[in-house]
């Protein structure tokens, strides 16, 4: 016995469920992208700070000699 074709109501329910899943995935990806951007900005700021510290240390070493 073959399975019966889903009713219009079942198709609509499936479509709504799929849309909700897509929206959830899009929200997760958006959040991940924001976190990656924030992380990249933080790493860039840390690199600048580290470079400045190195310059100060090098200057301090030169002042000793």
């Amino acid at each position: 016995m073959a399975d019966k074709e889903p009713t219009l109501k079942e198709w609509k329910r499936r479509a709504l469920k799929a849309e909700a899943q897509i929206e959830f995935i899009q929200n997760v990806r958006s959040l991940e992208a924001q976190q990656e951007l924030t992380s990249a900005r933080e790493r860039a700021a840390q690199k600048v700070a580290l470079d400045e510290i190195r310059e100060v240390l090098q200057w301090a070493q030169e002042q000793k000699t």
Side-chain angles (χ1 to χ4, degrees):
M1 183 171 159
D3 290 332
K4 66 177 186 171
E5 184 70 22
T7 65
L8 181 59
K9 191 173 187 177
E10 290 170 331
W11 279 117
K12 286 180 180 179
R13 191 177 313 122
R14 287 180 184 184
L16 289 173
K17 183 178 178 182
E19 287 176 1
Q21 290 172 336
I22 289 170
E23 185 177 353
F24 173 78
I25 291 169
Q26 287 173 334
N27 288 338
V28 168
R29 288 187 176 167
S30 176
L31 179 60
E32 288 173 344
Q34 289 172 348
Q35 289 173 336
E36 286 180 28
L37 187 55
T38 298
S39 180
R41 286 182 179 141
E42 289 173 352
R43 285 192 308 272
Q46 290 169 349
K47 182 185 180 313
V48 169
L50 188 55
D51 289 345
E52 290 177 1
I53 291 168
R54 286 183 178 133
E55 286 180 23
V56 169
L57 289 174
Q58 183 178 355
W59 176 84
Q61 283 288 22
E62 291 171 357
Q63 299 306 309
K64 282 184 176 181
T65 58

